[in-house]
Amino acid sequence: MNYYRLAEAESRFADLIWENVPIHSPKLAELAADVMKWKKSTTYTVLKKLCDKGIFKNEYALVTALLTRDEYYASQSVKYVDDTYGGSLPQFITSFVSNRKLTNKQADEIQRLIDDYREGSRDV
């Protein structure tokens, strides 16, 4: 999975796009003007950057997502665990829960995820 680093404004704009895809680029420019107070030129400049990063596609004035929001944030999470914990998911989880208790519901959900994603599982 590729890692895409977005600035704060790019991330907010990407969220706006994900909430509205597919969307025609002129309509997106209007939406960005209303929501983000951007000029049309700013919208198209940032859209081009996001397209160049392979997150979105703007073809024939129709903006579509090449990555879902979940895929994007998953890549962010993987990169964080790789950089901060040497790729060790157990170290990350230990750090995350070290100063809090899990509810039974949370523990059951985590156990279900582990079972679903265990190597060799047929459900993945």
Side-chain angles (χ1 to χ4, degrees):
M1 180 176 289
N2 292 329
Y3 173 72
Y4 306 92
R5 183 180 177 97
L6 299 181
E8 182 180 340
E10 289 174 324
S11 183
R12 286 187 15 245
F13 184 55
D15 283 334
L16 183 67
I17 297 171
W18 278 313
E19 291 168 6
N20 293 281
V21 290
I23 185 170
H24 287 94
S25 54
K27 180 68 177 165
L28 179 59
E30 291 175 18
L31 192 58
D34 291 343
V35 173
M36 302 185 75
K37 309 301 183 216
W38 282 2
K39 295 180 182 177
K40 187 186 331 185
S41 60
T42 302
T43 298
Y44 284 108
T45 298
V46 177
L47 177 59
K48 181 175 180 346
K49 287 180 181 181
L50 295 177
C51 289
D52 290 346
K53 290 181 180 185
I55 300 171
F56 298 102
K57 179 171 70 170
N58 184 12
E59 190 170 67
Y60 305 111
L62 182 66
V63 179
T64 57
L66 297 175
L67 283 180
T68 66
R69 185 188 325 234
D70 287 345
E71 289 169 332
Y72 168 74
Y73 285 113
S75 74
Q76 300 295 298
S77 298
V78 168
K79 180 70 171 156
Y80 177 78
V81 171
D82 285 348
D83 290 350
T84 309
Y85 298 95
S88 172
L89 189 55
Q91 280 185 343
F92 167 75
I93 292 171
T94 300
S95 176
F96 187 80
V97 299
S98 65
N99 293 323
R100 62 190 87 165
K101 293 290 184 185
L102 295 176
T103 66
N104 286 335
K105 183 178 178 181
Q106 290 170 325
D108 290 345
E109 179 67 12
I110 291 169
Q111 185 61 56
R112 185 192 62 75
L113 290 169
I114 290 169
D115 293 343
D116 286 351
Y117 287 91
R118 185 178 303 274
E119 194 173 315
S121 173
R122 295 180 301 162
D123 296 338
V124 179

